[in-house]
Amino acid sequence: MTAPEPPRPASVWEVIPIARTAWRICDGALTETDASRLVAYVDKNETGTYDVLWLRSPCPTRSRYRSLDELLADLDAADAARTSSRADRPRQIPHFPPRPLP
């Protein structure tokens, strides 16, 4: 039995099979010699869901997915949020005077 072909990402993420039910996700924008190229390890468990071990940012908050397409979409969204928010100034925290004691 051979490993199913992973979906082709529409972004820079490369999904590389490393076992029958395991994949590596790499950042295709980085060179092969760059250690930060490796983004995550994905493993399909016996229930059919995909467990993810995130190794670097961008890192979605979830670590379990129903499909590789869903995982890659979440990774794209996390990457887009990271790049757009880093250029912006941080949000101002409102400061209020202390409340008087009763």
Side-chain angles (χ1 to χ4, degrees):
M1 188 166 180
T2 60
E5 188 65 27
R8 282 279 164 234
S11 60
V12 298
W13 313 118
E14 295 177 2
V15 180
I16 303 164
I18 55 176
R20 193 167 56 90
T21 60
W23 297 267
R24 218 174 33 200
I25 298 180
C26 295
D27 187 346
L30 301 175
T31 64
E32 295 276 334
T33 57
D34 192 346
S36 63
R37 174 181 169 82
L38 184 58
V39 176
Y41 284 109
V42 181
D43 194 26
K44 186 174 183 179
N45 62 31
E46 59 276 350
T47 63
T49 59
Y50 295 84
D51 293 321
V52 183
L53 173 64
W54 297 110
L55 301 174
R56 73 162 181 92
S57 290
C59 176
T61 56
R62 294 174 49 192
S63 61
R64 183 166 286 166
Y65 293 88
R66 283 181 248 147
S67 71
L68 287 174
D69 288 329
E70 182 183 26
L71 183 152
L72 293 173
D74 210 10
L75 187 58
D76 281 336
D79 187 45
R82 180 181 65 108
T83 54
S84 65
S85 65
R86 284 182 101 34
D88 299 338
R89 292 181 56 84
R91 285 185 301 169
Q92 189 70 18
I93 300 172
H95 290 67
F96 301 104
R99 291 189 340 191
L101 294 173

